[in-house]
Amino acid sequence: MRNRSVTVIFGSLVLWGLITYFLISDQPVSKERDIARISNQISKLERRVKQEITLNQELLEDIKEDKQQKKKVDIINANAYKKQKDVNHMNQDKIFLEKERTDIEKNNKNAQQIQINSLYSSETSYNVPMKGKLLDGSPIIAILVFSCNRITVQRCLDQLIKHRPSIEQFPIIVSEDCQHRQTAEVIARYGNQIIHIQQPDQSDIEVPPKEKKFKGYFKIARHYGWALNYVFFQLRYDTVIIVEDDLDIAPDFFEYFLGTYPLLISDNSLWCVSAWNDNGKAGLVDEKAADVLYRTDFFPGLGWMLTRQLWAELSPKWPKAYWDDWIRQPEQRRNRACIRPEISRTRTFGKTGVSNGMFYERHLKYIKLNTEFVYFTKMNLTYLLKDNYDINFVNEVYQSTVVSFSELKSGKVVAPGTVRIPYYSRQAYKNTAKQFGLMDDFRSGVPRTGYRGVVTFFYKGRRVHLAPSANWNGYDITWS
């Protein structure tokens, strides 16, 4: 029993010794294996890192090449854009108009989408200007037609399209108010011959209780303000001719404005050119003097040209109503004059409207429309510049023979040439004006067609000046 125990103990000691030996002898091998394995992994990682670095370098090279390529493309595009900008700005127009439409939808849920009916034809180089000039340096003058609820706008548009010499030089923009379906349909028929825009704000207008019956004048002023802002500041035209939807135009309508454009640009004492003569009735104009033009302190309207510079001055203080009388106030006119013709280049056929036919039966329907084509662009019109005009005009008026209405009417005037009828009071002027059939009203103290207080017209083969005293010192606003 004892021997067996000894044997067991001895065997256990031997086994423990063997195990210890192998454990001790195996440790260096395991470490070597671990070191080898780790070295292996590091080598693999190094290879992968090198591969990644190589790959990244290749990517960086590609990026550099892409940037260089993009820069080249940008330069090419920029050059192409510059050329394209001078030739055709159709895409810019679409962007402008689309931006306007988007802004309106964001700010007014009830706003009406601006509709452009085939803005430009793909076969034409119809440009929207960036600086108001064609490639040959000729001015681009936009025609802005104001329309509301009269389908007779077709009559006006037909004449404008018929007589305009160039679609590029005289783009026609029809601004429509009132949401009148029939009128919109008529305008839409013209397709790419015009640009069709719609006044988006159709909300009701607050009107003072005493002026409720004149709400139409408030809507007109709102429409004018929006449309002129749009044409000058969005479409970026430099010069605009305003036409109402009830106007006939003369065959030389465009030639008249082209010829007078240099005067408007060069003479700071001018602020508009009008195609209208307020006293241009048959019998009060010299039908043989279709080429004669005048300066006037009275703003005529009814087909008139203005610049972006003037609109930038007027737009911040644009009135809520009665814009035409507002523009005649001394604060707006600032002693500036307009050009007007002896024989009108426009005539209104709009008997009905917001004014309910005021003056139409007595005056407007008798206005003579010019029929003789005058080449104003070939004429020297520098006599209309203020420094030239004032001296000659004053001399002609106050050196002419003084006569009375009765002498003229009876034909008893013996002296040849121009004559003068003096007036010294508001009532004296009104009495004489009525005798001749002139319009006898004043706006901010200025009589219609007046220049330095003088109203010039034609009567029984004579030039007549209805004139204040020679020492005239300005208009009296209380005469209105």
Side-chain angles (χ1 to χ4, degrees), residues 279 284 436 438 455-459 462-466:
N279 290 315
L284 292 177
F436 283 106
L438 301 168
V455 171
T456 300
F457 58 98
F458 203 71
Y459 184 76
R462 286 181 184 270
R463 180 74 53 210
V464 181
H465 300 298
L466 184 52

Side-chain angles (χ1 to χ4, degrees), residues 281 351 357-366:
K281 294 192 289 188
K351 180 179 179 179
M358 185 186 298
F359 300 130
Y360 187 82
E361 289 298 331
R362 284 188 297 151
H363 293 282
L364 302 183
K365 75 177 184 180
Y366 300 109

Side-chain angles (χ1 to χ4, degrees), residues 316-339:
K317 53 180 180 174
W318 190 247
K320 292 183 177 180
Y322 318 115
W323 70 266
D324 48 350
D325 281 340
W326 172 85
I327 210 172
R328 291 166 179 144
Q329 294 172 357
E331 296 82 2
Q332 279 65 253
R333 188 171 69 82
R334 292 167 52 193
N335 293 319
R336 292 174 291 192
C338 294
I339 301 294

Side-chain angles (χ1 to χ4, degrees), residues 393-400 420 452 454 467-470 472:
F393 183 74
V394 169
N395 286 339
E396 179 188 317
V397 170
Y398 293 100
Q399 289 177 11
S400 58
R420 171 168 53 104
R452 297 178 58 89
V454 180
S469 62
W472 177 83

Side-chain angles (χ1 to χ4, degrees), residues 13 40 46-47 157 175 183 201 209 223 229 264 277 291 309 316 318 347 356 367 378 394 401 413 419 424 456 467:
L13 287 170
N40 236 351
E46 285 178 347
R47 285 197 299 271
L157 291 177
S175 184
T183 301
D201 186 0
H223 185 195
N229 276 335
L264 182 62
N277 177 357
D291 61 337
Q309 183 180 2
W318 190 247
R347 179 178 58 197
N356 295 317
I367 296 293
K378 297 180 180 179
V394 169
T401 304
V413 178
V419 296
Y424 303 102
T456 300

